[in-house]
Amino acid sequence: AVIALFVNEMQRLAKVPLLVADNFEGGAGYVLFSSTRLPLGMSIGATGDERNAYEAAKLTALEGRAIGVNVNFYPVADVQNNPQNPIINIRSFGEDPDRVSAFVRAYIRGAQENGQIATAKHFPGHGDVASDSHLEMPVLDVSPERLESVELPPFRAAVAEGVDAVMSAPARGTAPADLTITGDPACCTLWSLLGFPAVALPMGLAAHRMPLGPQLPSTPGGAASFCAVAAWVERRPPSFDLPEIVVGQ
């Protein structure tokens, strides 16, 4: 209740609607003890029923919106195909690109049909690495053909479903063109490979100087975040408004 009251007061004071985000990978209870704790992606994927992803997203959206969180940094669209991966692992919906794609689409529908922005992560794929990206820079060492057949399909599915945000992986790739995944090349790749015109969220944006596009110089995290949000708002129809945040909604 305290968080909801605080966020609502911030929204009341703001001159423009605020985007309030959190990482509800396992439901709102993943972060807030008083909310519902849900299984992570691999458990949901193992059921074989995409409706479970939809319902998990719906419940998370309703509980999140009740406390004022209108952006969820989920679903994980990574294909978990490396058993040595210490950081994605059970957060992924599974090891099959088609199944991951289907569950990603269902989760996005469940979230965005219930008033919460979904974020597909970690573009262009964080499943086939063997180090923790919170501790060091992993390398996604795959060919362009492999990237197209395994890593990219869930992100294409997310874009086709109308996801409003994509978070890039804090990693380096060897394809295409020794892609530095976090920062400017990631955004270029989102545009060129997926035709994605909405918000690209480099992981750790606020902690680094990240360029967001070929026309933009490196900017401090706050300014870059503003540019990203401005691009998202510009993409929406003129009649679009952020759903009103009401305590207990």
Side-chain angles (χ1 to χ4, degrees), residues 64-189:
R65 290 305 311 278
I67 60 174
V69 176
N70 47 31
V71 181
N72 183 9
F73 291 153
Y74 201 64
V76 169
D78 303 314
V79 177
Q80 172 56 36
N81 54 0
N82 186 338
Q84 302 302 316
N85 191 323
I87 189 61
I88 299 302
N89 210 294
I90 60 173
R91 298 163 65 195
S92 166
F93 287 117
E95 62 184 8
D96 178 69
D98 291 337
R99 170 160 299 187
V100 172
S101 297
F103 276 80
V104 163
R105 293 189 72 144
Y107 194 96
I108 291 167
R109 286 196 302 275
Q112 297 188 172
E113 288 178 3
N114 290 280
Q116 190 170 67
I117 295 169
T119 306
K121 63 182 183 183
H122 307 83
F123 177 83
H126 202 351
D128 194 7
V129 300
S131 56
D132 186 342
S133 53
H134 297 98
L135 303 175
E136 58 182 301
M137 180 73 81
V139 175
L140 182 64
D141 187 10
V142 299
S143 68
E145 293 75 21
R146 214 312 278 281
L147 198 71
E148 273 290 341
S149 63
V150 177
E151 278 77 20
L152 290 184
F155 292 97
R156 292 191 186 280
V159 172
E161 194 59 46
V163 71
D164 275 322
V166 173
M167 182 183 293
S168 66
R172 177 173 293 278
T174 57
D178 193 25
L179 170 66
T180 301
I181 296 171
T182 297
D184 178 71
C187 298
C188 294
T189 306

